[in-house]
Amino acid sequence: MSEKAIIFDIQRASLHDGPGIRTTIFLKGCPLDCLWCHNPEATSPNPQLFFRYDKCTQCGDCVKVCLQNVHKIVDGIHSVDYDKCKLCGSCFGACNYNALKIIGNEMTVDEVMLEVMADVDFYTNSGGGITLSGGEPLAQFSFSVELLKRCREIGVSTCVETSGFVSDEQFKKILPLVDIFLFDYKVTSSKEHKKFTGVPNERILENLDVAYQHGIPIVLRCIIVPGINDTDLHFMGICDLHAKYPNLKGIEILPYHTMGNNKRTSIGVHETLIDLETVPAEIAGKWIQKLKKLGCEKVSLSQ
Ligand code: SF4
Ligand code: SF4
């Protein structure tokens, strides 16, 4: 029987998740808890209620249909008691303003493959394929293995965007099924890595090394967050990997942006984890210059 996973989005015609035109499959669930996460709706492995405050007209229709009293509108404020939600779906159907939805649907590999197959001609003509993303796609390991195998069988190229935080046994198993990795490199000091993401980075670096020694093309993806990892130590860490792995396909710098904040509110997490603005283009440009001066020729700004 076809493996199942909780998927929170499938983006067709994606141009920024690996080479060519790709279908990106976003899987829910991640073992890391990065302070700056821009996909907070992906952290939990389970489906979740997602409420867009900006779209709500306060018509009150969701209040009428919800038997769990999740929604309340008092003095012009719509509050949502997420813990009480049973994900029955009644309020999503009642809302005419697209302010409510479930994030995360269970899908089988067969169902995902139907979407993948729809764009096979685009992959062929552009050098594209599929990309597994998340969350951490390797956290739903059996599903990812089966999906990658099925793509291999029909000649669709495979890319995996990963934090690298997966057991060495699982990582080695997945290697023969991957054509290219988009591999996160978040924080150089393992102690700081644990502080800001919840896990140390030794296992991640070991898996990066195994993937490189296996000859798989790797694009290193480095989110830079002011006050967290825009440090000389981390920039030197990026340059050290550039020197250690001369065949890296590229090093992309992803400047911090605030898009995750609204999404965090939409799933009921109200505390601000970091109080920062989106990084201005001129600052990001200076980071690139600095890295190039340090000898990191393959560095570029992520699109
Ligand atoms: S039904 Fe939609 S628009 Fe109306 S109050 Fe509920 S969330 Fe807001
Ligand atoms: S999904 Fe069901 S339980 Fe959850 S808020 Fe909507 S109506 Fe209430």
Side-chain angles (χ1 to χ4, degrees):
M1 201 162 85
S2 185
E3 292 284 345
K4 294 173 183 167
I6 305 295
I7 309 287
F8 74 94
D9 200 7
I10 296 182
Q11 282 178 9
R12 288 168 62 185
S14 170
L15 297 173
H16 304 301
D17 296 318
I21 298 173
R22 313 195 73 85
T23 295
T24 305
I25 298 122
F26 293 88
L27 287 91
K28 230 167 155 337
C30 183
L32 277 67
D33 191 11
C34 303
L35 209 57
W36 52 79
C37 181
H38 61 274
N39 278 340
E41 75 278 30
T43 310
S44 159
N46 302 314
Q48 286 169 286
L49 174 65
F50 192 87
F51 170 48
R52 291 276 308 264
Y53 288 81
D54 56 323
K55 289 195 170 184
C56 176
T57 62
Q58 304 197 351
C59 70
D61 288 349
C62 57
V63 180
K64 289 177 208 153
V65 298
C66 179
L67 301 177
Q68 310 300 326
N69 295 319
V70 170
H71 301 275
K72 284 199 177 68
I73 300 177
V74 179
D75 296 335
I77 296 172
H78 183 162
S79 61
V80 179
D81 191 342
Y82 289 84
D83 290 341
K84 285 189 189 164
C85 176
K86 304 280 187 212
L87 296 175
C88 70
S90 299
C91 64
F92 314 141
C95 179
N96 290 315
Y97 302 92
N98 291 324
L100 292 163
K101 64 176 175 178
I102 290 182
I103 290 282
N105 290 309
E106 189 177 78
M107 292 183 78
T108 63
V109 171
D110 287 342
E111 287 166 333
V112 174
M113 283 306 290
L114 281 179
E115 302 240 8
V116 168
M117 295 297 289
D119 285 345
V120 163
D121 289 347
F122 290 114
Y123 314 145
T124 309
N125 295 333
S126 69
I130 66 146
T131 298
L132 298 191
S133 184
E136 169 50 66
L138 302 184
Q140 298 195 63
F141 188 71
S142 302
F143 175 92
S144 291
V145 167
E146 188 183 332
L147 183 58
L148 293 170
K149 270 188 190 161
R150 294 275 293 276
C151 287
R152 269 292 163 86
E153 281 163 17
I154 56 167
V156 169
S157 162
T158 58
C159 173
V160 174
E161 181 172 16
T162 182
S163 65
F165 193 75
V166 57
S167 75
D168 56 345
E169 194 186 323
Q170 287 186 327
F171 196 71
K172 280 176 189 152
K173 211 168 160 184
I174 206 112
L175 290 180
L177 303 172
V178 181
D179 292 320
I180 179 167
F181 276 113
L182 306 179
F183 203 108
D184 292 350
Y185 183 58
K186 298 171 190 287
V187 184
T188 294
S189 146
S190 186
K191 200 172 152 201
E192 298 270 290
H193 197 285
K194 186 163 171 39
K195 181 174 161 192
F196 295 125
T197 74
V199 302
N201 68 9
E202 284 85 359
R203 190 197 302 174
I204 292 168
L205 291 172
E206 280 164 23
N207 284 336
L208 173 65
D209 193 65
V210 169
Y212 185 83
Q213 303 307 341
H214 206 81
I216 300 176
I218 300 169
V219 176
L220 221 52
R221 289 197 138 180
C222 310
I223 182 158
I224 302 291
V225 188
I228 301 247
N229 64 354
D230 61 338
T231 59
D232 288 345
L233 177 72
H234 186 49
F235 285 143
M236 283 310 299
I238 294 171
C239 291
D240 287 347
L241 290 181
H242 179 273
K244 183 176 179 188
Y245 300 129
N247 291 330
L248 277 180
K249 200 170 161 53
I251 299 177
E252 292 183 355
I253 299 298
L254 292 81
Y256 171 79
H257 61 70
T258 56
M259 263 165 55
N261 292 351
N262 286 343
K263 292 197 273 184
R264 199 167 280 115
T265 309
S266 289
I267 55 168
V269 180
H270 295 289
E271 71 268 23
T272 307
L273 299 181
I274 41 178
D275 190 13
L276 289 172
E277 297 298 319
T278 292
V279 172
E282 60 182 288
I283 301 283
K286 282 183 183 162
W287 291 339
I288 300 291
Q289 281 171 16
K290 181 172 178 172
L291 283 160
K292 287 204 173 194
K293 264 192 199 158
L294 288 167
C296 208
E297 291 151 22
K298 288 187 183 169
V299 78
S300 65
L301 207 52
S302 175
Q303 303 276 320

